[in-house]
Amino acid sequence: MDKIQLRTQFYDEFVANLQQILATPTDQVQNNYLDLGQVKQIKREELAQVPDLPRNDPLEIVFELLSAEIQKEHLQKVSLGFNEYFKSYLRKINEENAETLTHQYFQKTVCLFRKILAINFCFIQEIWLYLCSCFKTIGLFLLEQNLIQGSLLYWDYIAKIGNIAARHSLHTQQLQRSMRILEVQAKEDGYEELAATLNSLRIHLEN
C-alpha cells in the first residue's frame, strides 16, 4: 500500500468513525446513571444499582475527538470533523427540535472555536474561512427549510463566533457578506424578524 492510499484510509477511517457516532439515535443513548448532582436525596439501595454508567452523549464524544485533532493541529481532520458535525445537525433538525438542537450543537461549536484560538492554531486563516463557508451553507439550508426559530438562534451563535474572530484580528468580510445575502433572502421570503436580526448582528459584528 503506497503513501497516498495510507493517507486516504487515514481520513476515511476518521470520517467513518465520526459518522457512526453521530448517527446514534438519541433514544438509544444510555441514561440510567445515578448523578448526585441531579437528585435531591437517595436511598442506600440506589447506590447498589448496576449498571451505573454515565450517559454516552454522541456530541460530547465528537467534541472530544475534534478537540484532540485541534490540539494536534491537523487541518484536514479538523475540517472534516466540523463538516460531519454540521451535516449531522442538518440531518436531525426539524421544527420541533430546532431550538434545543441548535443550542446543543452550537454551544460546542463556540467552545471548539475558542480552543482553536487558544492554541494559536497554525492554520487559523484556513479553518476560519472554511467555517465561514459552512456557516453560509447552513444558514441557507435553515431558511430554505423555513426553520425560522432555529435560524434566529443559529445566527446569534454565529455572530458570537464572528465577534470572537474579530477580537482576534480575523477578517469577517466573508461572514458579513453571507449574512447580507441571507438578510436579503429572508426579507424576500417575508421573514422580517429574521432579516432585521441579521441586519443588526451584521452591523455589530466587529463591535
Side-chain angles (χ1 to χ4, degrees):
M1 186 177 294
D2 59 31
K3 288 183 180 180
I4 295 177
Q5 287 177 310
L6 281 171
R7 198 155 194 75
T8 302
Q9 184 179 6
F10 180 67
Y11 293 134
D12 287 352
E13 289 176 357
F14 176 70
V15 169
N17 185 39
L18 291 180
Q19 290 174 345
Q20 184 176 9
I21 295 166
L22 289 165
T24 305
T26 306
D27 58 4
Q28 289 183 15
V29 173
Q30 194 168 355
N31 196 22
N32 62 344
Y33 183 59
L34 178 59
D35 185 347
L36 299 181
Q38 300 296 320
V39 296
K40 292 182 179 179
Q41 60 183 39
I42 58 169
K43 299 177 181 178
R44 181 174 292 276
E45 55 267 27
E46 290 177 304
L47 293 169
Q49 73 178 24
V50 271
D52 186 21
L53 299 172
R55 183 174 181 265
N56 291 317
D57 183 348
L59 294 188
E60 280 293 334
I61 296 170
V62 170
F63 178 84
E64 291 300 326
L65 291 172
L66 258 175
S67 295
E69 297 305 329
I70 288 168
Q71 203 65 38
K72 296 173 189 173
E73 300 187 285
H74 284 165
L75 175 62
Q76 185 70 3
K77 277 192 169 184
V78 172
S79 300
L80 290 168
F82 273 119
N83 187 49
E84 292 305 321
Y85 186 77
F86 294 148
K87 286 192 296 184
S88 168
Y89 167 72
L90 296 181
R91 288 187 187 106
K92 294 176 181 178
I93 193 168
N94 55 48
E95 285 187 15
E96 288 71 34
N97 67 13
E99 292 188 46
T100 300
L101 204 71
T102 301
H103 275 305
Q104 289 173 344
Y105 273 80
F106 287 93
Q107 281 178 344
K108 290 179 172 59
T109 303
V110 172
C111 289
L112 288 168
F113 187 63
R114 288 186 184 276
K115 283 177 179 285
I116 288 170
L117 294 171
I119 68 163
N120 199 19
F121 194 75
C122 284
F123 306 102
I124 182 60
Q125 292 290 344
E126 290 86 349
I127 198 64
W128 170 235
L129 292 176
Y130 178 76
L131 287 173
C132 287
S133 295
C134 290
F135 295 156
K136 178 184 177 183
T137 303
I138 295 166
L140 285 168
F141 177 89
L142 295 177
L143 181 57
E144 288 166 1
Q145 297 297 311
N146 302 313
L147 296 167
I148 305 308
Q149 289 308 119
S151 292
L152 288 165
L153 185 55
Y154 167 76
W155 282 111
D156 190 59
Y157 275 112
I158 301 311
K160 184 181 295 184
I161 292 172
N163 293 150
I164 296 168
R167 289 199 298 270
H168 285 79
S169 303
L170 292 170
H171 296 300
T172 63
Q173 288 93 332
Q174 181 178 345
L175 182 56
Q176 290 187 57
R177 284 195 298 271
S178 297
M179 295 173 81
R180 176 59 180 160
I181 290 169
L182 267 293
E183 176 191 337
V184 171
Q185 188 64 55
K187 195 163 188 176
E188 288 178 356
D189 292 348
Y191 298 118
E192 296 292 339
E193 182 184 1
L194 178 58
T197 298
L198 280 161
N199 178 267
S200 177
L201 291 173
R202 178 173 56 82
I203 290 171
H204 297 98
L205 196 63
E206 296 195 357
N207 294 345

